[in-house]
């Protein structure tokens, strides 16, 4: 079943925050979709359905086309909403599926519990406890049952025929069935009476990663984008290969019958191996010290090799690959925009029930009325509606056609912020509209309240700093500062309750900052109160170490002070825009590490142990790197992180080549370097740099236009604004702040050239 709209990280959210896209929706927007909008789509009239669908499309969470095209649309939508209500369960299940790798007993371990792999100290194993093979089988079976429901439930929504025609659903189902078969084989192996007495290899660790990718939309989009870049990467990587081959041959010839040739460059294959590592600068200058000791002039060869290779060819690879990456990302944006247009087309068709191909003024007025439930549109009097209609009618034919309708929806999304949901307290108007509460609401919405909270944070920062210092010094004076922290903790509770009272919980919870504040505040206050009431009976809650870490986390709220400095404001804005876009790519790096880790445990598990005579002659042993090994999944992931940051990575490659005695071992490490470091990490670094520069340009342009607007306003002062105009301007300012943090605007700015190129190509094709 086709997923909702927009690529990873491009959804708009209230309050200027963006959220990465998972398989479907997540978080507060999901609650809104299955709440007010879900009710409108499944039970409302055509105008209510169309307004809800327009709001969905502009949030990037529209219904899949298979649902929209169902004959019994309302029933299919109802089932779909029931399905996505359980998204949290499906996502937790996928996380459990991936985390199972960390707690499974490696297949090379044949012993019994409690030490199936032997002594942990002897084999330098990770610190996580292992599940027994029976426990692993039970957990895997439960996870598979939940995964089976999430995989095949769309059949109930769209039907068996459409399900098996969809390539994505087919891939999910195929991977699930293969994993189920692998689990059955493992069950036969685990059962004592089973006929399988040895199981040297399982597909499960690799299938789990594949299933997480195909079921997570952001990761899936990343894979599509990266696959499109591979041809360009292969072409430029061939140039790098030729450079290494030629440079290594030249080094082998130049240093023949020299100390360097006799000690290091003994054969051409050895020279190629050492020069390839030198390209990463990991063995610099150790590899050419013998030549340098013999003649200082030989350093020129190695210096030129490094300068040309690292600072020219490496950057050339990055430039070519990143240019191709931007092109693929632009295609993805265009594809998702097409999906959005299809959802808007379905909404247009609902309104155009007479199939005239256009909407009239009456229909637009009713649509605006329904959209007011989701957006802060101004109230339009009936007498003014005709003038508004003429303004929307670009063609001047007194009809809003399909294209004009799409432009109208985009304009509404950009100019008007999400409407706030009614607060639960509004059910008691005498209380909610009282003079006292109105004063409280005015105060909480004011900048004075924000300054008071910032002052509390500064005092809290001082208190935490002093208290932790006195605690380390074991001073009795820390008790006073602990009481201050306890008092401040309850002040944060008051702040949280006031915001919930004024804004309503649903509006409060839409903000990621508020979610962070809520979780940290509640956790700290509960722990501190429990420790204060009964410090001896509840040792878990009185653990000062983890409470102190939570207090430090609370100080992260001070980052809001950074936005007061213009340059820092751009950095913070860029950071929050990039989080949803970068998370899928970092997730791909993590998935890649999981795949290589599973392969590493299979190939190298059990080779590193105390007393291994072969190990004692390796550089791993000499450098005391024995804990970084591939004996289990936990240790393997730490080792791969060391390889990822290129910290003496050749030590593991040389050592494991010696331990296995197989020359092909080097391809495992070189493969990880090429894919993870040379390809993925370089793309991420380039993306971050260009995003920051683009954000600087957007910020400068916005500042100039804001200055022009303020000057024009001062030159053309009109009559005193009415309360309705003031409310409308406040809504527009909120929408502007949302656009300032809108990741879609950043992507469009970064990819403007690529988007224009694709648009021109499509026009020529048409």
């Amino acid at each position: 079943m086709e997923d909702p709209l927009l690529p990873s990280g491009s959804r708009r959210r209230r309050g200027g925050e963006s959220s990465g896209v998972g398989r479907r929706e997540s978080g507060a927007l999901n609650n809104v979709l299955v709440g007010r909008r879900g009710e409108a789509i499944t039970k409302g009239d055509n105008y209510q359905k169309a307004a809800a669908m327009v709001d969905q499309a502009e949030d990037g969470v529209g219904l899949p086309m298979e649902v929209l095209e169902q004959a019994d649309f309302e029933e299919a939508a109802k089932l779909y909403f029931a399905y996505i209500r359980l998204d949290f369960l499906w996502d937790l299940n996928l996380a459990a599926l991936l985390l199972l790798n960390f707690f499974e007993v490696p297949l090379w371990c044949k012993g019994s519990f409690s030490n199936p792999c032997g002594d942990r100290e002897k084999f330098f194993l990770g610190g996580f406890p292992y599940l027994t093979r029976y426990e692993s089988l039970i957990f895997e079976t439960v996870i598979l049952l939940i995964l089976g429901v999430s995989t095949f439930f769309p059949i109930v929504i769209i039907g068996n025929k459409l399900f098996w025609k969809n390539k994505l659903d087919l891939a999910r189902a195929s991977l699930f069935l293969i994993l189920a078969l692998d689990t059955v084989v493992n069950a036969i192996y685990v059962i004592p009476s089973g006929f399988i007495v040895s199981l040297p290899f399982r597909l499960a660790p690799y299938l789990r990663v594949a299933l997480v990718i195909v079921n997570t939309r952001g990761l899936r989009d990343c894979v599509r984008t990266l696959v499109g870049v591979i041809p360009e990467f292969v072409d430029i990587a061939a140039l790098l290969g030729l450079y290494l081959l030629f440079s290594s041959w030249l080094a082998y010839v130049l240093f023949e019958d020299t100390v360097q040739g006799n000690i290091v460059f003994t054969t051409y294959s050895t020279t190629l191996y050492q020069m390839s590592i030198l390209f990463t600068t990991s063995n610099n200058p150790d590899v050419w010290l013998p030549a340098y000791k013999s003649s200082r002039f030989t350093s020129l060869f190695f210096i030129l090799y490094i300068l040309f290779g690292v600072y020219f060819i490496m950057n050339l690879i990055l430039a070519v690959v990143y240019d191709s990456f931007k092109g693929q990302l632009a295609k993805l944006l265009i594809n998702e925009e097409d999906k959005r247009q299809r959802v808007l087309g379905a909404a247009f068709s609902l309104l155009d029930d007479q199939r005239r191909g256009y909407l009239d003024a009456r229909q637009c007025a009713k649509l605006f009325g329904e959209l007011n439930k989701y957006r802060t549109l101004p109230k339009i009097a009936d007498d003014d509606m005709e003038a508004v209609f003429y303004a929307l009618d670009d063609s001047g034919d007194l009809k809003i056609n399909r294209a004009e309708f799409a432009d109208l929806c985009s304009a509404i999304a950009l100019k008007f912020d999400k409407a706030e949901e009614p607060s639960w307290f509004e059910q008691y108007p005498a209380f909610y509209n009282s003079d006292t509460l109105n004063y409280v609401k005015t105060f909480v919405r004011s900048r004075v309240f924000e300054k008071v909270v910032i002052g509390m944070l500064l005092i809290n920062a001082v208190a935490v700093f002093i208290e932790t210092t006195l605690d380390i010094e074991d001073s009795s004076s820390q008790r006073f500062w602990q009481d201050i922290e306890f008092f401040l903790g309850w002040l944060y509770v008051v702040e949280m309750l006031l915001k919930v009272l004024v804004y309503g919980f649903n509006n409060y919870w839409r903000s990621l900052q508020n979610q962070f504040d809520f979780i940290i505040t509640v956790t700290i206050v509960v722990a501190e109160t429990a420790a204060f009431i009964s410090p001896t009976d509840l040792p878990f809650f009185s653990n000062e170490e983890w409470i102190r870490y939570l207090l430090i986390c609370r100080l992260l709220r001070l980052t809001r002070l950074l936005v007061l400095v213009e340059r820092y404001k751009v950095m913070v804005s860029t950071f929050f825009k990039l989080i949803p876009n970068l998370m899928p790519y970092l997730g791909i790096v993590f998935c890649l590490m999981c795949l290589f880790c599973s392969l590493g445990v299979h190939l190298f598990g059990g080779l590193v142990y105390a007393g291994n005579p072969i190990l004692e002659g390796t550089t791993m042993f000499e450098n005391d790197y024995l804990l970084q090994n591939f004996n289990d999944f936990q240790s393997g992931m730490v080792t791969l992180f060391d390889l990822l940051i290129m910290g003496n990575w050749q030590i593991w490659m040389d050592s494991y080549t010696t331990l296995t005695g197989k020359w092909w071992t080097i391809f495992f490490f070189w493969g990880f370097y090429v894919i993870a470091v040379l390809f993925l990490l370089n793309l991420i670094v380039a993306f971050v740099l260009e995003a920051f520069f683009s954000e600087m340009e957007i910020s400068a342009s916005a500042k100039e236009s804001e200055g022009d607007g303020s000057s024009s306003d001062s030159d053309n002062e009109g009559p005193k604004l009415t309360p309705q105009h003031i409310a409308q301007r406040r809504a527009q300012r909120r929408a502007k702040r949302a656009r300032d943090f809108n990741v879609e605007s950043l992507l469009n700015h970064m990819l403007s050239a690529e988007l224009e190129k694709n648009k021109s190509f499509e026009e020529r094709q048409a």
Side-chain angles (χ1 to χ4, degrees):
M1 184 168 59
E2 191 64 40
D3 284 332
L5 308 176
L6 297 189
S8 170
S10 60
R11 283 188 294 157
R12 306 178 185 89
R13 295 186 68 184
R14 183 184 177 276
E17 295 171 2
S18 300
S19 174
V21 176
R23 234 171 355 159
R24 299 163 196 87
E25 294 185 275
S26 62
L29 278 178
N30 187 45
N31 296 331
V32 174
L33 185 144
V34 297
R36 294 188 300 161
R37 297 190 297 201
E39 290 291 320
I41 290 175
T42 55
K43 300 178 181 179
D45 58 29
N46 284 358
Y47 289 95
Q48 292 170 332
K49 291 176 182 177
M53 290 168 63
V54 167
D55 192 54
Q56 284 183 24
E58 298 308 331
D59 278 337
V61 291
L63 288 169
M65 291 306 299
E66 292 91 339
V67 176
L68 293 173
E69 294 171 355
Q70 290 294 307
D72 192 354
F73 165 73
E74 288 82 1
E75 185 63 27
K78 189 182 299 183
L79 290 171
Y80 177 75
F81 292 142
Y83 179 49
I84 66 173
R85 277 184 187 274
L86 297 176
D87 263 359
F88 73 95
L89 176 61
W90 312 141
D91 294 337
L92 286 176
N93 191 62
L94 289 175
L97 183 68
L98 203 57
L99 289 175
L100 187 59
N101 289 332
F102 287 87
F103 299 95
E104 279 187 325
V105 176
L107 288 176
W108 65 268
C109 301
K110 304 297 182 183
S112 58
F113 275 80
S114 60
N115 293 313
C117 301
D119 182 31
R120 282 184 174 269
E121 298 299 323
K122 178 181 178 181
F123 283 89
F124 312 106
L125 301 173
F128 290 176
Y130 292 138
L131 297 171
T132 65
R133 298 197 188 279
Y134 286 106
E135 291 171 343
S136 296
L137 181 60
I138 292 172
F139 275 106
E140 189 168 14
T141 303
V142 173
I143 292 171
L144 271 178
L145 290 175
I146 299 174
L147 184 62
V149 174
S150 68
T151 301
F152 294 103
F153 189 85
I155 294 178
V156 181
I157 302 174
I158 63 176
N160 190 62
K161 186 176 181 180
L162 281 178
F163 178 86
W164 293 108
K165 279 186 176 181
N166 186 283
K167 293 181 180 179
L168 179 59
D169 288 329
L170 183 60
R172 289 171 177 163
S174 300
L175 289 172
F176 169 80
L177 293 174
I178 297 173
L179 179 60
L181 180 61
D182 182 85
T183 304
V184 171
V185 174
N186 181 54
I188 297 173
Y189 167 68
V190 171
I191 297 173
S193 58
F195 58 85
I196 299 179
V197 296
S198 178
L199 191 64
F201 179 75
R202 283 197 69 189
L203 287 172
Y206 311 97
L207 292 172
R208 292 167 188 165
V209 176
L211 278 165
V212 169
I213 292 175
V214 299
N215 282 285
T216 307
R217 186 165 181 243
L219 298 180
R220 207 168 55 245
D221 288 342
C222 282
V223 171
R224 287 197 190 105
T225 304
L226 295 173
V227 167
V229 178
I230 288 177
E232 298 287 345
F233 178 73
V234 171
D235 288 343
I236 198 67
L239 175 63
L240 172 60
L242 292 174
Y243 175 71
L244 292 176
L245 289 171
F246 175 76
S247 300
S248 301
W249 172 81
L250 190 60
Y252 180 61
V253 172
L254 289 177
F255 295 102
E256 186 185 9
D257 296 330
T258 65
V259 176
Q260 181 76 20
N262 295 330
I263 297 177
V264 183
F265 295 161
T266 54
T267 64
Y268 176 68
S269 59
T270 304
T271 305
L272 176 62
Y273 179 73
Q274 294 294 341
M275 292 292 285
S276 299
I277 298 175
L278 181 59
F279 178 80
T280 69
T281 68
S282 295
N283 61 351
N284 182 67
D286 298 346
V287 70
W288 51 278
L289 281 180
Y292 185 63
K293 289 178 180 178
S294 300
S295 173
R296 303 297 189 268
F297 293 104
T298 57
S299 63
L300 293 175
F301 172 81
F302 296 99
I303 291 172
L304 291 174
Y305 170 79
I306 293 174
L307 288 177
F308 188 77
V310 176
Y311 297 102
F312 177 73
I313 293 184
M314 180 72 87
N315 289 327
L316 180 63
I317 292 174
L318 177 59
V320 172
V321 172
Y322 185 63
D323 183 68
S324 177
F325 170 76
K326 289 172 62 177
Q328 295 298 321
L329 193 58
K331 291 179 181 178
L332 182 63
L333 286 175
I334 293 172
N335 183 49
E336 299 302 333
E337 175 61 19
D338 290 340
K339 293 181 182 179
R340 171 182 167 274
Q341 292 296 334
R342 289 202 296 270
V343 175
L344 293 178
F348 183 84
S349 298
L350 282 173
L351 299 176
D352 184 23
D353 51 359
Q354 298 180 12
R355 299 296 180 265
R356 298 178 300 176
Y358 64 88
L359 305 180
D360 56 31
R362 179 188 60 83
Q363 291 171 310
C364 288
K366 293 186 67 174
L367 175 64
F368 281 1
E370 293 299 331
L371 278 173
N372 263 308
K373 297 177 181 178
Y374 311 107
R375 300 275 169 177
T376 55
L377 273 68
K379 299 293 183 181
I380 303 174
D382 294 338
D383 295 339
D384 298 330
M385 190 60 215
E386 187 175 355
V388 173
F389 181 78
Y390 286 138
L392 298 174
D393 183 18
D394 296 334
S395 59
D397 56 0
L398 304 182
K399 302 172 184 177
I400 299 296
N401 58 32
R402 172 68 182 81
E404 291 169 337
F405 178 76
D407 293 339
L408 166 64
C409 295
S410 299
I412 289 174
L414 287 173
K415 192 166 185 178
F416 301 103
D417 191 20
K418 295 287 293 183
E420 294 184 352
E421 295 185 54
S423 171
W424 178 80
F425 297 100
E426 292 184 31
Q427 299 178 19
Y428 307 94
F431 165 74
Y432 192 76
N433 297 320
S434 63
D435 293 338
T436 302
L437 194 57
N438 284 334
Y439 175 79
V440 172
K441 288 188 286 187
T442 302
F443 173 68
V444 172
R445 296 177 188 271
S446 68
R447 292 187 177 181
V448 175
F449 182 77
E450 182 69 16
K451 291 178 180 178
V452 170
V453 174
I454 291 175
M456 290 166 48
L457 287 170
L458 292 174
I459 296 173
N460 197 180
V462 174
V464 170
F465 178 79
I466 295 176
E467 190 274 329
T468 51
T469 303
L470 294 175
D471 183 34
I472 293 172
E473 296 174 354
D474 200 19
S475 173
S476 59
S477 302
Q478 66 169 315
R479 182 63 187 176
F480 170 75
W481 294 99
Q482 286 177 343
D483 293 339
I484 292 180
E485 291 174 5
F486 182 75
F487 175 73
L488 287 171
W490 279 101
L491 285 182
Y492 288 126
V493 173
V494 173
E495 177 215 357
M496 178 183 68
L497 293 176
L498 285 174
K499 287 184 175 179
V500 171
L501 174 64
V502 172
Y503 297 107
F505 185 79
N506 287 338
N507 300 319
Y508 171 85
W509 194 252
R510 286 181 184 179
S511 167
L512 289 178
Q513 176 182 300
N514 289 339
Q515 293 176 23
F516 173 81
D517 293 347
F518 181 90
I519 294 172
I520 294 295
T521 299
V522 171
T523 305
I524 291 176
V525 169
V526 169
E528 287 183 337
T529 304
F532 179 80
I533 295 174
S534 182
T536 56
D537 297 338
L538 299 170
F540 175 77
F541 287 103
S542 59
N543 188 329
E544 296 181 358
E545 291 299 323
W546 73 273
I547 293 178
R548 182 174 296 116
Y549 295 144
L550 289 174
L551 289 172
I552 294 172
C553 288
R554 186 161 66 190
L555 297 183
L556 292 177
R557 298 174 65 184
L558 285 170
T559 53
R560 70 175 70 178
L561 297 177
L562 295 177
V563 300
L564 301 178
V565 182
E566 185 63 30
R567 184 172 296 275
Y568 291 161
K569 180 179 179 181
V570 175
M571 294 173 60
V572 172
S573 174
T574 306
F575 175 75
F576 281 107
K577 285 182 180 180
L578 287 179
I579 284 178
N581 260 80
L582 286 181
M583 287 305 294
Y585 291 95
L586 296 178
I588 286 294
V589 174
F590 180 78
C591 290
L592 181 69
M593 291 175 65
C594 288
L595 291 173
F596 271 87
C597 186
S598 298
L599 183 60
V601 173
H602 174 70
L603 295 175
F604 312 129
L607 294 179
V608 176
Y609 61 91
N612 185 347
I614 302 177
L615 177 66
E616 295 177 1
T618 63
T619 49
M620 276 182 66
F621 184 84
E622 295 171 358
N623 289 276
D624 197 21
Y625 286 175
L626 301 181
L627 292 177
Q628 282 88 353
N629 56 62
F630 288 98
N631 285 348
D632 61 6
F633 203 86
Q634 309 152 32
S635 303
M637 290 296 283
V638 176
T639 305
L640 286 172
F641 176 77
D642 291 329
L643 298 176
L644 189 68
I645 62 175
M646 301 300 295
N648 293 328
W649 71 287
Q650 79 281 2
I651 289 178
W652 286 278
M653 181 167 59
D654 293 339
S655 299
Y656 273 106
T657 302
T658 302
L659 287 170
T660 60
K662 307 294 184 182
W663 62 271
W664 47 258
T665 301
I666 64 173
F667 288 108
F668 173 86
F669 296 92
W670 272 111
F672 184 77
Y673 167 75
V674 171
I675 299 173
V677 180
L678 197 61
F679 184 47
L680 283 177
L681 281 190
N682 279 336
L683 277 179
I684 292 173
V685 171
F687 186 80
V688 170
L689 288 176
E690 182 162 357
F692 178 74
F693 293 140
S694 297
E695 183 63 23
M696 290 285 288
E697 294 177 6
I698 294 174
S699 177
S701 300
K703 194 172 182 181
E704 290 178 4
S705 59
E706 186 177 326
D708 295 340
S710 60
S711 62
S712 62
D713 289 342
S714 61
D715 293 338
N716 300 284
E717 292 186 359
K720 187 176 180 180
L721 295 176
T722 64
Q724 291 80 5
H725 288 138
I726 294 174
Q728 183 178 346
R729 289 197 174 184
R730 285 177 180 172
Q732 290 176 349
R733 284 197 296 270
R734 289 199 303 269
K736 179 185 180 299
R737 288 196 297 270
R739 291 195 300 275
D740 289 341
F741 283 87
N742 182 13
V743 69
E744 190 178 4
S745 63
L746 177 61
L747 287 176
N748 285 328
H749 185 82
M750 291 173 57
L751 304 174
S752 57
E754 286 73 16
L755 291 171
E756 188 64 30
K757 187 188 302 181
N758 279 278
K759 183 179 178 181
S760 300
F761 176 77
E762 290 179 356
E763 290 176 352
R764 288 197 302 269
Q765 291 292 104

